[in-house]
Amino acid sequence: MLLGAACTQDDPRFPAYFRYAVDVKVDGVPVTIERVVKCTGTRSWGTSAAPGRWTGQSYVNPPAIGAKVPGGDAAVYVRVPLACAWAASPEAAQQRPPPLVPGDIVPVLWTDNWQRLEQIEYYSTRPSLAGQDSHVEFVRVQALERADKKAFEMSEVRAARESPDLRPVARVRAKGHGEPISAPSWLNPDLPKTPAPGMTCFAALSLDRDNWDQWPALKPWVDSLPHDGRFYEVRPALGDVATSLNFEGGFFAAQSLNRTSLSAEITSGEGARRALQLYNSMHPIVPSRGGAYIDKSRQGISSCSFNLWYYDRSYEYHVKEPVGERKNRERIEIYSDAKRFPLMISPDRESVIRIVQLGPIYSDTDEPVAMDTIH
């Protein structure tokens, strides 16, 4: 153990710093999400994965950045790019370009209230980031710039005054801040909370009946199902069809589309086209006092919740009346006995649905992340 401890040390390339900024409009209000990010790291000698040489691990502080929206309680957030190696390299050295450049598009998380976190949505498609069915219009990624310790400290002073608390989205237990983020006011505190506390974002990928011709056994089976307001899993009845739907229908590929900037979307080939179509048309799953609903009136969005998911509860299927400012009266399907990951036939028998977790996934940091200045 002592020998193992001696083989790990601080990475001499760090600390390194870079400025990251994203311009958006939130319900028409211009907002710049900006922060100077600090990179630290460790390196280890002779690991089993790389015997006889150094391997490194880098950490970013903060792993996500956010900005309050002027005139209200809303806030927006983006994940920090993997730019530590770029920031630590000499500016004059031969090197690859930074991991994000102007013209790229990155996913954006929005909440109506950064202190209560009752309504949270994650926009990770080009249509939703064009303001289609969403609160956010993406404007640009500013060019990444190398920075220094002084710029980082000044940025932290501004963040203490202007930034929302980042702990919920960054999944960081900050030093000196042990109290949990409050759950929504309508959540029954006596009910068990599963899974463990943390933010999750879910959506329903939906392949509609018009796209089923490649699987001729599917329609007859679906038409034989009772209209009883329940979801039915495809695999127990049509095992090979479910496998084909998963891969050739684009469900498997669609889940990987938001892992990098949207500039890396796959656009060639029939499978890629179908996956992108699925991804752009996914429906948010919205938690509420009466259950969690698949909102078929909105597309390209995943809805997030903090410590809210209950997979053992079942709810009646019905058509929910529009609420708030929603003008249309399209059907909202209730999230009932549907499961995560298996392919399910929707209660209206018009689509194959797969409920997936789509983000956000933010890395940990080795320093505290809060509104307070970081020393």
Side-chain angles (χ1 to χ4, degrees):
M1 290 179 65
L2 290 174
L3 288 173
C7 290
T8 298
Q9 62 179 225
D10 290 339
D11 192 322
R13 298 178 301 167
F14 300 117
Y17 306 88
F18 66 92
R19 178 184 179 271
Y20 177 44
V22 176
D23 295 320
V24 298
K25 291 182 180 178
V26 182
D27 295 321
V29 178
V31 178
T32 296
I33 313 168
E34 183 268 345
R35 197 90 169 244
V36 173
V37 177
K38 178 181 180 181
C39 295
T40 55
T42 57
R43 63 178 188 171
S44 300
W45 176 262
T47 63
S48 58
R53 62 189 179 95
W54 290 101
T55 56
Q57 174 68 49
S58 60
Y59 307 90
V60 290
N61 181 28
I65 61 175
K68 299 175 185 175
V69 179
D73 298 316
V76 282
Y77 310 82
V78 291
R79 73 181 69 192
V80 167
L82 299 175
C84 287
W86 169 82
S89 62
E91 197 164 352
Q94 293 294 323
Q95 58 188 353
R96 291 176 296 178
L100 285 177
V101 296
D104 287 348
I105 300 178
V106 297
V108 179
L109 185 79
W110 168 89
T111 181
D112 66 331
N113 189 304
W114 63 270
Q115 298 178 87
R116 294 201 311 264
L117 299 171
E118 291 191 6
Q119 185 181 356
I120 312 167
E121 295 177 351
Y122 190 59
Y123 309 131
S124 54
T125 66
R126 290 181 183 272
S128 64
L129 286 166
Q132 180 178 312
D133 288 334
S134 73
H135 294 273
V136 173
E137 178 186 347
F138 190 90
V139 178
R140 64 169 179 159
V141 170
Q142 297 184 23
L144 291 180
E145 300 174 352
R146 291 180 178 84
D148 55 23
K149 181 179 180 181
K150 182 177 180 181
F152 173 72
E153 291 174 344
M154 293 175 63
S155 173
E156 292 303 294
V157 171
R158 292 195 304 273
R161 184 173 60 246
E162 301 169 4
S163 174
D165 190 346
L166 298 177
R167 286 173 293 150
V169 297
R171 297 183 179 179
V172 172
R173 181 170 295 176
K175 298 174 184 177
H177 296 272
E179 69 279 1
I181 303 298
S182 298
S185 57
W186 44 261
L187 179 65
N188 184 344
D190 296 327
L191 291 173
K193 297 176 177 60
T194 56
M199 184 184 296
T200 52
C201 301
F202 288 94
L205 300 174
S206 179
L207 185 67
D208 295 335
R209 179 179 281 260
D210 292 343
N211 296 302
W212 292 1
D213 291 344
Q214 187 175 342
W215 304 275
L218 185 59
K219 285 182 180 178
W221 175 69
V222 171
D223 290 340
S224 72
L225 296 173
H227 283 269
D228 54 3
R230 295 182 61 85
F231 288 82
Y232 281 84
E233 189 174 347
V234 179
R235 180 165 300 281
L238 303 172
D240 291 341
V241 172
T243 300
S244 177
L245 275 167
N246 188 33
F247 289 95
E248 298 173 43
F251 286 95
F252 182 80
Q255 294 178 79
S256 65
L257 287 176
N258 79 326
R259 292 180 183 173
T260 60
S261 71
L262 301 188
S263 61
E265 285 178 345
I266 49 176
T267 55
S268 62
E270 178 61 23
R273 183 199 65 80
R274 195 187 297 270
L276 190 58
Q277 180 185 33
L278 267 179
Y279 190 68
N280 285 333
S281 63
M282 65 185 178
H283 305 297
I285 298 177
V286 184
S288 71
R289 186 186 294 274
Y293 302 91
I294 298 175
D295 186 347
K296 297 193 75 174
S297 67
R298 304 176 72 203
Q299 295 185 337
I301 302 168
S302 54
S303 186
C304 311
S305 58
F306 190 80
N307 200 16
L308 289 182
W309 290 89
Y310 306 97
Y311 296 106
D312 56 345
R313 294 170 63 180
S314 183
Y315 308 97
E316 180 186 357
Y317 167 75
H318 65 282
V319 176
K320 185 178 174 66
E321 292 299 316
V323 295
E325 299 179 357
R326 189 177 293 128
K327 300 292 193 299
N328 58 52
R329 300 178 64 85
E330 293 185 41
R331 176 174 292 147
I332 299 177
E333 289 185 359
I334 196 152
Y335 178 95
S336 177
D337 43 5
K339 304 172 184 177
R340 286 175 59 188
F341 306 122
L343 296 179
M344 311 291 291
I345 298 299
S346 63
D348 63 6
R349 308 299 179 236
E350 293 297 321
S351 56
V352 178
I353 286 176
R354 182 171 183 176
I355 295 170
V356 294
Q357 182 176 345
L358 288 168
I361 300 173
Y362 298 124
S363 61
D364 290 335
T365 177
D366 61 347
E367 296 189 39
V369 172
M371 292 192 298
D372 297 329
T373 301
I374 301 173
H375 299 287

